[in-house]
Amino acid sequence: MNHIVLLPGDGIGPEVVEQAVFVMQQCGQQFGMTFAFEEALFGGCAIDAAGEPLPKETLELCQKADAVLLGAVGGPKWDVGPKERRPETGLLALRKHLGLYANLRPAIAYDCLANASSIRPEVLRGTDLLVVRELTGGIYFGDKERRTDDCGRTTAIDTCVYAEDEIERIAHQAFLIARGRRKHVTSVDKANVLETSRLWREVVTRVSLSYRDVTLEHMLVDNCAMQLLRRPTHFDVVLTENMFGDILSDEAAMLTGSIGLLASASLGDGAFGLYEPVHGSAPDIAGQGIANPIATILSVAMMFRLTFRRDDAADAIERAVQDVLRSGARTADLGVDRSQALSTADMTTRIIAALRN
Ligand code: IPM
Ligand code: MG
């Protein structure tokens, strides 16, 4: 029995998680997998119901589970108020408490979606990269963040901190993953300016010596932002620190045509993982039933592959999604007119039908 905690969250989160559960149930039947689902409060809805974004019971449920499927958190309603009462603070705390230091965000440009991207098809063709983002360190977790007031002049401080071992473990993950891919790692930093980046570069270089079959290159983050658009096929594994990874993975999303397609996995040292679409809660379209469920469904595929070691079911989901996209099925985010766009539920129905075949 596979124990999965569902954290639907806010906005379109519940809509896409519901669809992903249908896909899991179909896979259960087809591949003889059994699931026990438990749903918990997380994010803005938890602030409303329990006064905090990550209630203790939610964290404890996650700690006991085999995997977590998260929708999305946040929304304008919770953008005011103190930091402790922000959904995003709950997300960072969840990642930290669960030790999920490795965030994997694949970006694949499907030929059939070439027109959905704002980049020219000939530049995109063949793009298949994976951002490996450090997720529990850096400026997101600087412990000296504060504001000071000097005679009415308010100053805010965030600090970026990285310890050697934090860089080492994420670098090992990146090189190991690269071995199963095209054996090329681009490590992204800002070593011409930042001390944390200079340490990053040193440590990554040292770790690379244990993976002589993998090619390592270093790239400055500003240049990387440019190269991703200029020649995306250059990249295989993009290894980077927390904030650069946040930014570059949104950029990479636009190579695929829509952030509605991007899945992610957050892992620690074991098989446990937290899986979530890269997109946010999209309050502007919440409740309309038009969100693209594919990012969450592909996150389930990552869960099956990385936590449950079920490549068969994971491959089947990915194939079903591709078949459906190839057949021309589109949700509204994929560059079709709203009148021709499929609803969230209809897109899932097509994917489940493709799975059956
Ligand atoms: C992401 C999101 C989060 C992040 C926010 C919601 C805290 O942008 O997962 O990329 O910055 O990590
Ligand atoms: Mg982000």
Side-chain angles (χ1 to χ4, degrees):
M1 180 74 80
N2 301 309
H3 290 270
I4 299 174
V5 170
L6 304 173
L7 304 177
D10 310 315
I12 60 170
E15 300 169 40
V16 292
V17 167
E18 180 189 24
Q19 303 301 314
V21 170
F22 294 146
V23 171
M24 285 195 258
Q25 283 163 338
Q26 174 63 31
C27 288
Q29 284 180 23
Q30 259 176 260
F31 295 93
M33 301 167 74
T34 53
F35 304 106
F37 296 111
E38 261 172 311
E39 200 172 307
L41 284 171
F42 181 59
C45 59
I47 295 175
D48 290 348
E52 49 181 341
L54 175 58
K56 193 162 147 273
E57 305 80 66
T58 298
L59 178 60
E60 283 170 4
L61 270 184
C62 293
Q63 282 165 332
K64 281 186 282 181
D66 297 314
V68 177
L69 183 68
L70 172 62
V73 294
K77 181 176 172 194
W78 305 283
D79 274 345
V80 287
K83 180 188 147 201
E84 304 70 51
R85 285 170 60 93
R86 287 193 65 115
E88 294 82 359
T89 305
L91 183 56
L92 300 190
L94 185 66
R95 290 169 176 169
K96 192 76 172 179
H97 283 296
L98 297 174
L100 303 172
Y101 64 85
N103 183 219
L104 316 185
R105 298 184 163 184
I108 301 169
Y110 298 123
D111 283 347
C112 63
L113 286 179
N115 293 329
S117 176
S118 45
I119 314 291
R120 286 206 312 276
E122 66 269 27
V123 176
L124 289 179
R125 195 162 299 122
T127 297
D128 176 0
L129 62 89
L130 175 71
V131 177
V132 176
R133 169 188 176 193
E134 201 291 326
L135 201 59
T136 54
I139 200 160
Y140 276 58
F141 292 92
D143 54 358
K144 295 201 183 63
E145 59 158 32
R146 65 185 182 279
R147 281 195 188 194
T148 58
D149 193 328
D150 183 10
C151 300
R153 180 170 178 253
T154 305
T155 305
I157 303 174
D158 289 292
T159 48
C160 186
V161 181
Y162 266 109
E164 230 175 345
D165 57 321
E166 289 177 307
I167 303 169
E168 247 162 37
R169 60 186 185 177
I170 189 72
H172 279 291
Q173 292 269 7
F175 284 107
L176 282 171
I177 293 168
R179 271 195 172 151
R181 296 175 49 103
R182 299 192 306 279
K183 298 189 170 55
H184 186 264
V185 171
T186 306
S187 175
V188 178
D189 60 37
K190 187 71 184 172
N192 52 350
V193 177
L194 302 176
E195 198 53 35
T196 42
S197 280
R198 285 189 280 271
L199 180 65
W200 181 277
R201 207 174 262 223
E202 263 170 57
V203 174
V204 171
T205 303
R206 193 193 320 134
V207 170
S208 75
L209 301 178
S210 309
Y211 302 87
R212 303 235 180 221
D213 51 326
V214 178
T215 310
L216 168 67
E217 76 177 330
H218 299 284
M219 200 178 272
L220 296 172
V221 62
D222 48 350
N223 184 28
C224 179
M226 180 176 74
Q227 298 302 337
L228 272 173
L229 300 185
R230 194 176 79 100
R231 199 155 56 99
T233 52
H234 169 78
F235 297 94
D236 177 16
V237 172
V238 178
L239 162 64
T240 191
E241 61 97 69
N242 204 345
M243 190 163 72
F244 297 159
D246 178 46
I247 299 166
L248 294 178
S249 61
D250 268 33
E251 188 185 355
M254 283 327 289
L255 302 171
T256 70
S258 169
I259 198 163
L261 298 170
L262 255 80
S264 81
S266 301
L267 306 168
D269 283 324
F272 175 85
L274 179 146
Y275 299 85
E276 58 173 317
V278 172
H279 63 68
S281 60
D284 53 322
I285 58 162
Q288 298 179 31
I290 60 167
N292 188 347
I294 291 180
T296 315
I297 291 170
L298 290 175
S299 299
V300 168
M302 292 187 86
M303 178 195 291
F304 286 0
R305 178 170 293 118
L306 299 170
T307 290
F308 301 134
R309 314 270 177 220
R310 290 297 301 257
D311 285 7
D312 51 351
D315 291 345
I317 293 175
E318 287 168 0
R319 221 178 304 121
V321 167
Q322 280 191 45
D323 287 350
V324 165
L325 289 174
R326 231 178 264 132
S327 77
R330 299 283 184 271
T331 40
D333 54 308
L334 293 173
V336 289
D337 198 77
R338 280 223 169 167
S339 60
Q340 292 162 33
L342 291 180
S343 69
T344 311
D346 288 341
M347 178 57 102
T348 310
T349 306
R350 302 260 183 122
I351 292 170
I352 289 177
L355 262 172
R356 286 214 186 90
N357 289 323

